[in-house]
């Protein structure tokens, strides 16, 4: 292959003829790289979130190998590097707490190294936004390979989905309807292959967000992790990133407000996770794109939920892929002028060109517009004296009969308080009550845990109650469901009105009117505010202190205040 005529960023390391160039190349040669790899060709960083502690990304070494094949084939030089990896199931206090650390790691690793373009290997929930945020601040040509979902869970003749079935089963056990032996058996029946959660949880949602933003090759979001087409996509992505470097197709050319509009509408159509709101707000902050909670409400409100996947519906990601995947959904949005077809994508074509005419093969899984799963999908953004900065409810996951509800608050001051009292037979609570959880927001937890979908009291579960209104400053897993009001801004630990709610207060929720109201006179709230003391951080110091000092509220995506914006990938000073 002829040598590239352009000079790339990596030439500031490998292209030097002096002592520094010797040092940069010599130590790399100990890995067996031949001379021509240092001839000025594009160097492609493969940003890998492989970790045995992040089981959803456990197959990423293999995916990286396929990306490398494509990079070599296109005349690039692939170099894989690890970054902080956060899995949802093991990391404490929450993977979200480490998302910004991961984004800092990604940004600084890219900027510090001889990299001209980046392939981002994303899978488990936070690994997608963490990598996108870091890469957006650097603004090199970048492309995403999602790791893909697990195969569908199969248990006792039924299909079961990651997360969603766990919440169902644990409530069945508590209600005395499922044995503990069956509960244990379900563990391995649910997680049958490599890949991330195969419900439309946060991982599947964020992969779909990447595709609808134009950051993956078409169709990449839904391919099962173990399907050979996942590996073919990785290979083709390796080829494409080299071309993107030659074309100087940077992230900022893809991540426009139009792309975010498409992603917000796609999120409504797939019945995506509320976590997407936080992550896309953070990404927009990095990409310097104006995006507000009101945009989410406005863009998503007219879009029906077409995708019939758990937790809102019946099917799983494997079914979704076979039915046509995200291109099938985007094509339907395009036909209805609900997709801005002119948005550019990483393959050099517009998103409209990529998806136009894609057929849907199973209309139960991807519903037509005249038979949607839900007429109005999307995320409802609530405002009122209880959430002056906004709060969210995922309409697709909520119960219709609770969308307008007035009830008596039962307040838990922390998740520990909730756990200690929820099953106390003396707790005064019934199905009309509104469960309120405080101090689980970005600063309060810290890290904004996924505890907003508090399990109902055992005594009500045994009566057959399956949903109640729940309000908190926390998040909830994308695999969860229920009439759950989340992301209340400002959070309780930051002095938001949520901190002032007391058991017995009356709360009004009206999703149609987008209203969340605490029916307590203003003078009484002022009185309570004077008595309020901010909670003390439980173990200040280290990263935790940095986090609490700098994390922004949910409406800003919980990014650190000092990380917003693009800082580019200027070449840092030499160190020897
Ligand atoms: Fe990793 Fe759900 S736990 S995607």
């Amino acid at each position: 292959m002829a040598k590239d005529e352009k000079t790339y960023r990596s030439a500031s390391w490998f292209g030097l003829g002096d002592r520094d160039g010797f040092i940069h190349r010599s130590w790399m040669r100990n890995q067996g790289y031949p001379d021509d790899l240092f001839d000025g060709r594009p160097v492609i960083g493969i940003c890998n979130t492989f970790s045995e502690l992040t089981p959803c990304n456990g197959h990423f070494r293999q995916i990286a190998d396929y990306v490398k094949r494509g990079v070599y084939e296109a005349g690039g030089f692939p170099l894989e590097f690890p970054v902080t990896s956060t899995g949802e199931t093991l990391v404490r206090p929450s993977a979200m707490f480490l998302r910004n650390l991961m984004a800092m790691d990604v940004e600084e690793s890219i900027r510090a190294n001889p990299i001209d373009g980046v392939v981002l290997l994303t899978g488990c929930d936070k690994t997608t936004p963490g990598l996108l945020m870091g890469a957006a601040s650097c603004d090199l040509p970048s492309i995403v390979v999602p790791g893909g979902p697990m195969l569908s869970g199969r248990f006792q003749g039924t299909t079961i989905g990651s997360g969603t079935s766990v919440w169902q089963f644990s409530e069945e056990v508590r209600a005395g309807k499922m044995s503990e032996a069956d509960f244990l058996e379900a563990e391995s029946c649910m997680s049958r292959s490599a890949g991330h959660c195969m419900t439309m949880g946060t991982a599947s949602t964020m992969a779909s967000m990447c595709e609808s933003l134009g950051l993956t090759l078409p169709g990449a979001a839904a391919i099962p992790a173990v399907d050979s087409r996942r590996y073919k996509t990785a290979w083709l992505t390796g080829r494409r990133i080299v071309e993107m470097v030659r074309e100087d197709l940077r992230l900022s050319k893809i991540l426009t407000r139009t792309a975010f509009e498409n992603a917000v509408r796609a999120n409504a159509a797939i019945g995506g996770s509320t976590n997407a709101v936080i992550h896309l707000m953070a990404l927009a902050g990095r990409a310097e794109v104006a995006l507000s909670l009101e945009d989410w409400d406005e863009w998503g409100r007219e879009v029906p939920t077409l995708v019939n996947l758990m937790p809102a519906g019946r099917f799983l990601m494997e079914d979704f892929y076979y039915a046509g995947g995200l291109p099938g959904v985007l094509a339907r949005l395009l036909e209805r002028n609900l997709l801005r077809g002119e948005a550019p994508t990483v393959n050099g074509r517009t998103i409209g060109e990529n998806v136009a005419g894609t057929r849907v093969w199973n209309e139960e899984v991807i519903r037509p517009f005249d038979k949607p799963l839900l007429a109005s999908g999307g995320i409802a953004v609530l405002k009122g004296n209880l959430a002056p900065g906004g709060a969210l409810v995922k309409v697709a996951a909520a119960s219709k009969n609770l969308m307008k509800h007035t009830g008596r608050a039962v307040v838990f001051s922390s998740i520990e308080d909730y756990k200690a009292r929820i099953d106390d037979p003396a707790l005064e609570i019934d199905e009309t009550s509104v469960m309120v959880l405080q101090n689980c927001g970005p600063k309060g937890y810290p890290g904004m845990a996924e505890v907003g979908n508090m399990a109902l009291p055992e005594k009500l579960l045994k009566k057959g109650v399956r949903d109640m209104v729940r309000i908190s400053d926390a998040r909830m897993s994308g695999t969860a469901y229920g009439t759950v009001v989340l992301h209340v801004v400002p959070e309780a630990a930051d002095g938001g009105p949520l901190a002032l709610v007391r058991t017995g207060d009356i709360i009004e929720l009206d999703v149609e009117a987008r209203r969340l109201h605490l029916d307590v006179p203003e003078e009484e709230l002022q009185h309570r505010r004077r008595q309020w003391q901010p909670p003390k951080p439980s173990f200040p110091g280290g990263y935790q202190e940095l986090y609490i000092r700098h994390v922004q509220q949910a409406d800003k995506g919980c990014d650190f205040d000092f990380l917003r914006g693009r800082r580019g990938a200027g070449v840092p000073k030499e160190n020897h």
Side-chain angles (χ1 to χ4, degrees):
M1 186 157 316
K3 184 180 175 313
D4 281 34
E5 283 174 9
K6 278 194 195 168
T7 301
Y8 302 112
R9 183 174 179 272
S10 57
S12 299
W13 281 262
F14 298 143
L16 303 176
D18 58 6
R19 184 195 63 176
D20 290 335
F22 178 104
I23 291 169
H24 298 314
R25 291 182 302 271
S26 174
W27 269 260
M28 289 297 284
R29 287 179 192 276
N30 75 351
Q31 299 175 90
Y33 295 124
D35 296 349
D36 57 352
L37 292 186
F38 301 100
D39 64 1
R41 65 187 62 205
V43 176
I44 305 301
I46 302 173
C47 182
N48 198 343
T49 44
F50 161 82
S51 165
E52 288 176 343
L53 290 165
T54 306
C56 306
N57 301 13
H59 56 303
F60 278 21
R61 284 173 165 167
Q62 209 183 342
I63 290 188
D65 283 343
Y66 277 79
V67 173
K68 286 178 192 171
R69 294 182 194 191
V71 173
Y72 279 126
E73 205 176 48
F77 180 11
L79 291 168
E80 185 184 339
F81 63 100
V83 288
T84 308
S85 183
T86 58
E88 290 300 306
T89 52
L90 302 179
V91 165
R92 296 180 184 180
S94 76
M96 182 65 183
F97 177 63
L98 298 180
R99 184 202 63 179
N100 295 349
L101 182 68
M102 179 165 38
M104 289 165 81
D105 181 357
V106 171
E107 178 182 345
E108 298 305 328
S109 294
I110 292 172
R111 191 176 293 117
N113 281 294
I115 289 173
D116 302 311
V118 198
V119 179
L120 306 170
L121 305 191
T122 66
C124 197
D125 298 11
K126 305 304 174 292
T127 57
T128 306
L131 268 55
L132 287 178
M133 289 158 66
S137 284
C138 287
D139 196 27
L140 287 176
S142 308
I143 192 167
V144 175
V145 182
M150 288 186 263
L151 296 175
S152 301
R154 300 288 300 162
F155 172 63
Q156 297 183 343
T158 62
T159 300
I160 61 171
S162 321
T164 305
S165 297
V166 183
W167 317 130
Q168 278 163 358
F169 291 162
S170 69
E171 300 216 329
E172 297 296 309
V173 170
R174 292 176 70 226
K177 300 227 161 74
M178 182 181 199
S179 73
E180 299 212 354
D182 280 352
F183 186 63
L184 283 181
E185 190 193 330
E187 278 185 21
S188 44
C189 300
M190 193 184 73
S191 305
R192 299 169 48 223
S193 77
H196 59 66
C197 291
M198 77 317 245
T199 43
M200 188 51 83
T202 303
S204 303
T205 301
M206 288 310 297
S208 303
M209 293 298 90
C210 287
E211 186 169 335
S212 47
L213 284 165
L215 298 176
T216 69
L217 294 184
I223 309 169
V226 294
D227 193 303
S228 56
R229 289 163 285 189
R230 167 73 45 207
Y231 295 92
K232 180 179 85 173
T233 300
W235 189 325
L236 295 175
T237 300
R239 285 187 195 164
R240 179 59 196 152
I241 185 66
V242 178
E243 292 168 3
M244 285 173 68
V245 171
R246 292 182 174 133
E247 294 163 9
D248 198 28
L249 182 53
R250 293 165 184 267
L251 259 184
S252 53
K253 295 182 185 161
I254 311 279
L255 286 178
T256 61
R257 186 168 156 83
T258 307
F260 280 93
E261 184 177 338
N262 285 341
V264 169
R265 291 215 166 98
N267 187 62
I270 62 175
S273 163
T274 44
N275 283 320
V277 181
I278 289 191
H279 300 321
L280 262 58
M281 295 305 281
L283 180 61
R286 296 298 187 109
E288 301 179 0
V289 168
L291 183 69
S292 67
L293 287 181
E294 285 70 25
D295 291 329
W296 279 85
D297 200 307
E298 188 193 324
W299 290 335
R301 199 188 276 237
E302 58 196 296
V303 181
T305 298
L306 302 177
V307 174
N308 186 6
L309 254 61
M310 293 182 199
R314 269 176 59 199
F315 296 97
L316 293 169
M317 287 299 283
E318 206 182 328
D319 310 299
F320 182 43
Y321 180 57
Y322 303 145
L326 198 70
V329 178
L330 296 180
R332 294 206 149 160
L333 294 178
L334 186 67
E335 283 162 18
R336 295 283 173 139
N337 287 326
L338 289 171
L339 187 82
R340 300 278 299 272
E342 74 276 19
T345 75
V346 286
N347 73 347
R349 289 155 51 100
T350 66
I351 199 156
E353 288 167 344
N354 283 340
V355 304
T358 304
R359 285 186 61 185
V360 168
W361 303 100
N362 185 335
E363 300 222 315
E364 260 309 290
V365 179
I366 302 175
R367 300 276 191 90
F369 263 79
D370 55 0
K371 269 178 52 194
L373 186 69
L374 201 82
S376 175
I379 305 282
V381 177
L382 311 170
K383 288 266 174 89
N385 69 345
L386 190 47
L392 308 182
V393 65
K394 179 174 169 179
V395 179
S399 300
K400 272 202 183 109
N401 63 318
L402 291 173
M403 303 288 260
K404 185 166 182 174
H405 181 81
T406 300
R408 172 185 167 273
V410 176
V411 178
F412 303 97
S413 61
S414 65
I415 194 67
E416 292 76 22
D417 179 36
Y418 158 81
K419 284 181 180 161
R421 294 195 294 125
I422 189 63
D423 287 333
D424 181 347
L427 182 69
E428 283 186 40
I429 191 166
D430 65 25
E431 56 270 42
T432 67
S433 304
V434 174
M435 295 166 66
V436 175
L437 178 62
Q438 300 165 327
N439 298 313
C440 289
K443 292 175 197 273
Y445 194 72
M448 207 177 176
E450 290 189 330
V451 293
N453 57 316
M454 293 165 269
L456 308 188
E458 194 170 301
K459 64 183 177 188
L460 296 182
L461 286 170
K462 285 187 169 148
K463 268 175 64 182
V465 178
R466 289 292 180 269
D467 194 12
M468 290 168 63
V469 174
R470 288 157 271 181
I471 301 175
S472 72
D473 46 15
R475 297 175 300 117
M476 80 172 176
S477 162
T479 62
Y481 50 87
T483 311
V484 184
V485 177
L486 300 154
H487 307 187
V488 168
V489 174
E491 64 173 303
D494 210 28
L498 186 72
L500 309 179
V501 186
R502 292 186 182 166
T503 293
D505 291 347
I506 298 300
I507 293 178
E508 296 167 30
L509 167 69
D510 186 343
V511 176
E512 182 61 34
R514 303 300 197 250
R515 184 163 183 265
L516 185 62
H517 181 71
L518 177 63
D519 197 7
V520 172
E522 186 52 36
E523 313 83 74
E524 170 61 15
L525 290 177
Q526 295 291 355
H527 171 67
R528 292 183 192 178
R529 180 166 297 289
R530 284 192 292 275
Q531 293 181 327
W532 177 77
Q533 296 282 342
K536 283 207 171 69
S538 54
F539 31 89
Y543 174 72
Q544 183 149 354
E545 184 159 339
L546 177 86
Y547 189 94
I548 292 171
R549 281 187 196 281
H550 292 284
V551 72
Q552 300 175 105
Q553 292 292 289
D555 59 334
K556 302 271 191 317
C558 303
D559 199 3
F560 291 154
D561 48 11
F562 61 90
L563 290 177
R564 287 174 75 84
R566 287 196 300 262
R567 287 165 284 282
V571 176
K573 276 193 259 186
E574 186 55 83
N575 75 335
H576 29 70

